[in-house]
Amino acid sequence: MMALTATPSAAELALRPTLETASQPTAYYQWQLQQWRSRMDVPLSRFISEPEQRHALLTRLYHEARLAGLPPELVLALIQVESAFNADAISSAGAVGLMQIMPFWVAELGLPIDDLTEPNRNLRYGCTILAHYLAVERGDFTRALARYNGSLGKTWYPERVLKAWQEHWR
């Protein structure tokens, strides 16, 4: 049996640069992000006038959507329909933030200190939830979006999101 040591072996030390490189976005990913952000900046300017705010939101949204395996443009469409890009939005049902996350999800997925009005946290929750529903519905966007909205069996909400996706974000 091999003994565990606190001192890394030569092989472990050799792997560290590879691990650090793997955890950094690749040049190709950065290029894709830059191209996408450039395409989405003008349509988003209808909702967010401040260029730095648009840049930060688009960067984080792209990252969260890709991490969850979602088309980032779909997430933009969902946010347009849900909150019109108002991070402080609260619905009559109590849904919060950009992606209108119901507070019960904090108990399910997060920590009590999670602030759903914080855009980065809201994007993480929303993309995770939508990706889960998309998996449950085996890639059916209509049914996944209806689940996200709590209107499974009805098509009015998915139709609104898919229309926004088609008309504004593709």
Side-chain angles (χ1 to χ4, degrees), residues 113-128:
I113 61 167
D114 283 348
D115 177 3
L116 294 175
T117 62
E118 197 280 311
N120 293 341
R121 182 58 46 197
N122 194 277
L123 288 168
R124 172 66 52 95
Y125 273 81
C127 288
T128 300

Side-chain angles (χ1 to χ4, degrees), residues 76-146:
L76 284 166
L78 187 145
I79 293 171
Q80 178 184 342
V81 168
E82 287 287 352
S83 69
F85 295 89
N86 178 0
D88 297 320
I90 299 176
S91 75
S92 59
V96 178
L98 290 171
M99 295 185 76
Q100 291 292 277
I101 308 302
M102 291 300 288
F104 74 81
W105 282 109
V106 173
E108 294 291 322
L109 299 175
L111 301 169
I113 61 167
D114 283 348
D115 177 3
L116 294 175
T117 62
E118 197 280 311
N120 293 341
R121 182 58 46 197
N122 194 277
L123 288 168
R124 172 66 52 95
Y125 273 81
C127 288
T128 300
I129 294 162
L130 183 56
H132 168 72
Y133 288 145
L134 197 55
V136 166
E137 294 298 341
R138 296 182 176 95
D140 184 325
F141 283 110
T142 299
R143 289 185 57 84
L145 287 165

